[in-house]
Amino acid sequence: MTHSDEAAGLAVGSATGAGKRPHLRYRQVRQETLALTRSLTAEDQSAQSMPDASPAKWHLAHTTWFFETFVLRPHLDGYKVFDAKFGYLFNSYYEALGARQPRPARGLLTRPSAADVVAYREHVDAAMTRLLEGRGEELAHLLDLGLAHEQQHQELILMDVLHLFASSPLKPTYAPPKPAPPGRQDQPISFVAFSGGLAEIGHSGPGYAFDNETPRHKVWLEPFRLADRLVTNAEWLAFMADGGYARPELWLSDGWATVQVEGWRAPLYWEEGEGGWLVMTLRGLRPLDPAQPVSHISFYEAEAYAGWAGARLPTEAEWEHAAAEAPLQGNFLSSGALEPRPAAEGAGLKQMYGDLWEWTRSAYSPYPGFRPAAGAVGEYNGKFMAGQFVLRGGSCVTPAGHVRPTYRNFFYPHQRWMFSGLRLAKDGTGMDESASSLEADVLAGLRRRPKSIPPKHFYDAEGSRLFEAITELEEYYPTRTETALLRKAAAEIAETIPEGAALVEFGSGASTKTRILLDAAPHVAVYAPIDISAAALEAAARAIRADYPALTVAPLVEDFTRALELPTDAKGRPVVGFFPGSTIGNFTPDEARAFLASARKLLGEGAAFLVGIDLVKPEQTLVAAYDDARGVTAAFNRNLLVRINRELEGDFDLEAFSHRALWNAAESRIEMHLVSARRQEVRVAGEAFVFEAGETLHTENSYKFTLEGFNKLAASAGWRLEREWASAHPAFAVVRLVS
């Protein structure tokens, strides 16, 4: 829902609950709306407390008018309109459908009576039932839209009733008072790290969505951290005690002007009593619970608090990226709480759904490629995309099943009668980049089902030492096989490298295999190694300069999968890329395709690319290479847990995890896993994770190729396999790709 009577949009797909017969779905939602007004008197239902709110009676009639106007009149032959005047009274913002009662004057509509509105609903419901029993599947699209629209008004009814009752000196209760759950002192906020990168947000079916959630598109996210829970009343009290509402330096200019004009000194519905602060709720006026999330705050207030706390508000893309892994569960309307609850104990992201809508720093604007629908039914979103900010996640009065990770709510920055709160965010640069990446990747991987961690985190000092030991093992053929192949083919490979070329190595490490090419091709003018480790890169570059004094060495500190521009010394020359070690086998096919495409863009038109690939061979040979008899590979795999324990305050029991290597023939890859020996709980960076007995942590893939298969993969990224050099036993290849 939005600041308006319409929350947000044209439906796309099919709504939650589509398994039910259409007329039963319709009846259930309509009955739920009517049930929300049963405790209200006729007088309650006619009053309007402010221009942004509407009488409950008007909501009941408007949602009925929606079905009458957009479903019954066009699609039910012989349908008789209940009352032609209702089109003027209960239209909201549909300019194409004519004039309407001004919104601020809806409270003047003493007629029709509440009883007449109920009769109107019954008339429309009977007609809708007849229509849906015969043509429900045909009209599913319109039904989904109408029911989602009605659920938005269910929340608006409760928002508006709370504002109405809070405006009364009698402070009436909407629902019977009941003791609040015992509050507790919250632990300090902790932040969950995300590594950023290229992400996708927005809805792409199947399922139900409004048009403002589409189209799905790519966004770039810098590393960021998201608070594990919402800000509480206790924390807001500290903001107030520090002069939060009296310090203009904390506020946006328009926000500070609003504070002055409105006289704000606390969130909406807070009242100062003799014994402390009280808050008006749907269950009446009650003492403020310090542990509850702070509610009914404007964007301006959320922004000011975030700055005071040394943080910021998240963007909606950050929120959606983080929420995509969270279960869609929370404190919604169906819980019966009718107010936000304190965060549950434990680590990790909490309260992502339900409790309160969470302000983001993102302006409500169209996604790239958004197009509003034609006609009156399209008058939902496009015309509201100015001057408002996006909120995410749902609230304690949002119907269960109504929200999803892509759902975009929106309000003007000064509004605060909705159930709105805030979650803090910080940039990811507050910690060392490698530590930030490790924490973000490990936590994200442990939250996945099944659990997995990228293999790049194997290589701390001990991991690098163990890998060097692996390369010396009898079972581990890749390093010695590729080295022997390069030595045998070096002269032929050198002949394909142009005079004065720049040799660009991806993930260069110690540059050991590069020396074979440099020795065979003294006509290479520039060597440009790319590696994310500045220390390792500088050491390798220093050694290469010492041994090849005529060679220009131009290192580039960068994640080689993200490099955008060659070093200056490599520009303007013929370029040859070099990617040995069958490291490309550590990528998924989609990742390998993306890497090959980005490498082609980096190296430029006319470049060549030398890539080492491990070829498919007997399973026994493959498994032995990744599960050696001396257990060195097992130690290498378990060292990842050692690193997590040391750097992320983990408590993995190394003896409770065993190493497993297996050949996945369907995917053509060797997989490495760490297998849990028993059911156990592990904590990492303050977050708890449960491993069931036999559950695995997937730590590495090593894809094996055929020449034909790799040629197809390379071609899909714009390369052509021009030549290959291959060994027989064990089978390995170096291929030359050209763009």
Side-chain angles (χ1 to χ4, degrees):
M1 65 270 1
T2 69
H3 71 285
S4 70
D5 301 301
E6 311 310 329
L10 184 66
V12 178
S14 59
T16 301
K20 289 186 178 181
R21 295 174 64 185
H23 71 281
L24 296 179
R25 291 173 53 216
Y26 173 84
R27 183 185 306 169
Q28 178 181 337
V29 173
R30 294 282 285 174
Q31 289 175 345
E32 288 168 350
T33 307
L34 200 59
L36 295 176
T37 65
R38 284 180 184 148
S39 65
L40 303 177
T41 66
E43 293 80 7
D44 292 334
Q45 294 193 51
S46 296
Q48 181 178 18
S49 56
M50 64 167 177
D52 282 338
S54 298
K57 179 179 70 176
W58 188 91
H59 288 295
L60 294 178
H62 166 71
T63 51
T64 305
W65 168 89
F66 185 96
F67 283 109
E68 183 177 63
T69 302
F70 292 111
V71 183
L72 291 175
R73 292 179 65 180
H75 298 288
L76 183 60
D77 292 340
Y79 174 72
K80 183 177 180 181
V81 171
F82 184 81
D83 189 322
K85 296 187 292 294
F86 283 11
Y88 175 86
L89 297 179
F90 302 122
N91 181 3
S92 53
Y93 291 111
Y94 299 92
E95 298 288 345
L97 297 178
R100 69 209 65 83
Q101 174 78 356
R103 180 176 183 177
R106 289 172 184 168
L108 301 179
L109 298 175
T110 58
R111 305 290 177 90
S113 67
D116 291 336
V117 168
V118 171
Y120 178 35
R121 289 179 68 89
E122 291 173 348
H123 173 84
V124 167
D125 288 350
M128 282 292 298
T129 297
R130 293 197 305 274
L131 178 63
L132 293 175
E133 285 177 340
R135 299 174 58 192
E137 296 303 324
E138 174 188 343
L139 299 173
H141 182 76
L142 276 175
L143 179 63
D144 289 340
L145 174 59
L147 295 182
H149 168 260
E150 179 121 0
Q151 287 184 316
Q152 292 168 334
H153 280 270
Q154 291 172 1
E155 180 159 350
L156 285 163
I157 287 171
L158 296 177
M159 288 165 47
D160 294 353
V161 166
L162 176 57
H163 191 273
L164 174 67
F165 284 5
S167 303
S168 169
L170 300 177
K171 298 294 187 256
T173 62
Y174 167 79
K178 67 177 183 180
R184 60 176 178 79
Q185 187 62 43
D186 278 292
Q187 295 296 314
I189 283 178
S190 63
F191 286 83
V192 177
F194 295 87
S195 58
L198 193 62
E200 288 191 354
I201 67 167
H203 181 82
S204 61
Y208 170 85
F210 291 116
D211 63 348
N212 68 343
E213 300 170 54
T214 65
R216 190 164 179 83
H217 60 285
K218 292 180 172 61
V219 294
W220 180 262
L221 300 177
E222 293 298 326
F224 69 97
R225 289 170 284 162
L226 200 62
D228 64 337
R229 59 166 173 79
L230 299 173
V231 171
T232 65
N233 289 329
E235 289 159 338
W236 198 269
L237 286 168
F239 168 69
M240 292 166 56
D242 196 34
Y245 282 93
R247 294 170 54 183
E249 72 273 17
L250 298 175
W251 296 77
L252 297 171
S253 177
D254 287 348
W256 181 246
T258 303
V259 169
Q260 300 303 105
V261 170
E262 300 293 334
W264 290 351
R265 53 188 294 267
L268 185 64
Y269 304 139
W270 284 32
E271 299 181 15
E272 200 164 15
E274 293 183 2
W277 286 98
L278 306 173
V279 61
M280 182 63 183
T281 73
L282 287 166
R283 297 189 182 279
L285 192 64
R286 60 200 305 170
L288 187 74
D289 181 353
Q292 278 186 319
V294 62
S295 183
H296 300 289
I297 56 172
S298 66
F299 170 82
Y300 292 140
E301 290 166 290
E303 178 78 5
Y305 179 91
W308 173 82
R312 61 174 175 82
L313 298 180
T315 67
E316 65 169 322
E318 288 171 337
W319 190 97
E320 184 173 324
H321 180 65
E325 298 292 336
L328 218 168
Q329 301 169 353
N331 173 25
F332 293 111
L333 177 58
S334 57
S335 74
L338 299 178
E339 60 184 337
R341 291 169 170 166
E345 295 184 0
L349 293 176
K350 299 177 282 290
Q351 301 174 305
M352 292 298 286
Y353 296 104
D355 285 308
L356 295 172
W357 290 103
E358 302 177 23
W359 283 109
T360 75
R361 194 58 178 82
S362 297
Y364 178 54
S365 59
Y367 285 160
F370 170 80
R371 295 290 184 274
V377 78
E379 289 192 57
Y380 275 113
N381 287 313
K383 68 185 196 177
F384 294 121
M385 290 176 170
Q388 304 190 66
F389 285 84
V390 173
L391 300 91
R392 293 298 194 110
S395 80
C396 56
V397 294
T398 303
H402 183 67
V403 295
R404 54 205 154 265
T406 60
Y407 195 108
R408 307 173 77 198
N409 201 351
F410 51 94
F411 285 91
Y412 286 107
H414 68 278
Q415 292 176 314
R416 55 185 195 160
W417 96 106
M418 59 284 189
F419 286 78
S420 53
L422 81 151
R423 182 186 302 269
L424 299 176
K426 292 185 178 182
D427 294 334
T429 54
M431 61 182 81
D432 174 76
E433 183 176 353
S434 62
S436 173
S437 173
L438 174 66
E439 180 173 346
D441 288 347
V442 168
L443 293 180
L446 291 175
R447 295 183 196 121
R448 290 192 196 101
R449 297 293 182 271
K451 297 179 175 71
S452 64
I453 295 176
K456 65 182 180 180
H457 297 300
F458 278 133
Y459 299 98
D460 63 351
E462 177 63 7
S464 298
R465 186 194 69 77
L466 286 167
F467 183 72
E468 289 302 316
I470 289 171
T471 64
E472 301 296 326
L473 293 170
E474 180 181 353
E475 299 98 327
Y476 193 78
Y477 63 85
T479 301
R480 66 173 181 272
T481 302
E482 183 180 33
T483 300
L485 178 61
L486 284 171
R487 288 193 176 119
K488 180 179 179 181
E492 293 182 10
I493 294 173
E495 290 176 358
T496 70
I497 300 176
E499 185 75 28
L503 183 67
V504 179
E505 183 173 4
F506 293 78
S508 54
S511 304
T512 304
K513 295 171 186 173
T514 317
R515 291 170 177 268
I516 300 173
L517 289 187
L518 294 177
D519 289 341
H523 53 282
V524 170
V526 175
Y527 173 52
I530 306 174
D531 201 280
I532 198 169
S533 170
L537 190 62
E538 182 53 38
R542 187 166 54 248
I544 291 288
R545 288 190 187 104
D547 293 339
Y548 301 87
L551 181 68
T552 297
V553 181
L556 176 62
V557 180
E558 180 60 276
D559 179 340
F560 66 78
T561 66
R562 298 180 181 177
L564 300 176
E565 189 174 6
L566 291 174
T568 302
D569 289 327
K571 294 179 180 178
R573 296 179 175 276
V575 178
V576 177
F578 185 41
F579 193 40
S582 194
T583 307
I584 197 166
N586 293 138
F587 297 145
T588 67
D590 285 343
E591 291 168 342
R593 187 176 298 108
F595 165 69
L596 288 169
S598 68
R600 182 171 178 267
K601 184 176 181 181
L602 175 70
L603 297 174
E605 193 66 32
F609 197 12
L610 299 168
V611 182
I613 58 172
D614 195 7
L615 301 179
V616 173
K617 52 185 60 66
E619 179 177 353
Q620 183 178 0
T621 303
L622 290 168
V623 172
Y626 293 83
D627 192 9
D628 62 278
R630 291 171 52 189
V632 181
T633 312
F636 173 73
N637 201 6
R638 274 197 290 262
N639 184 66
L640 178 61
L641 305 184
V642 175
R643 184 181 183 191
I644 293 171
N645 285 352
R646 181 181 67 249
E647 299 183 31
L648 301 180
E649 298 181 346
D651 62 0
F652 277 97
D653 178 358
L654 303 189
E655 299 303 317
F657 287 87
S658 60
H659 168 73
R660 177 188 295 168
L662 59 90
W663 170 242
N664 184 333
E667 299 291 341
S668 192
R669 72 191 186 198
I670 281 284
E671 298 178 2
M672 290 209 316
H673 297 260
L674 290 164
V675 186
S676 178
R678 62 177 186 273
R679 191 180 193 280
Q680 55 185 307
E681 182 178 279
V682 175
R683 300 188 69 85
V684 177
E687 187 169 346
F689 302 94
V690 172
F691 282 82
E692 300 295 339
E695 184 178 0
T696 75
L697 175 60
H698 192 165
T699 55
E700 185 176 32
N701 290 320
S702 184
Y703 284 83
K704 309 303 176 184
F705 303 95
T706 64
L707 288 171
E708 180 185 7
F710 190 78
N711 187 20
K712 290 180 180 178
L713 176 66
S716 69
W719 294 100
R720 176 172 59 85
L721 198 159
E722 180 188 67
R723 188 171 178 182
E724 73 273 355
W725 296 268
S727 62
H729 305 292
F732 199 96
V734 174
V735 299
R736 174 181 164 89
L737 307 177
V738 293
S739 60

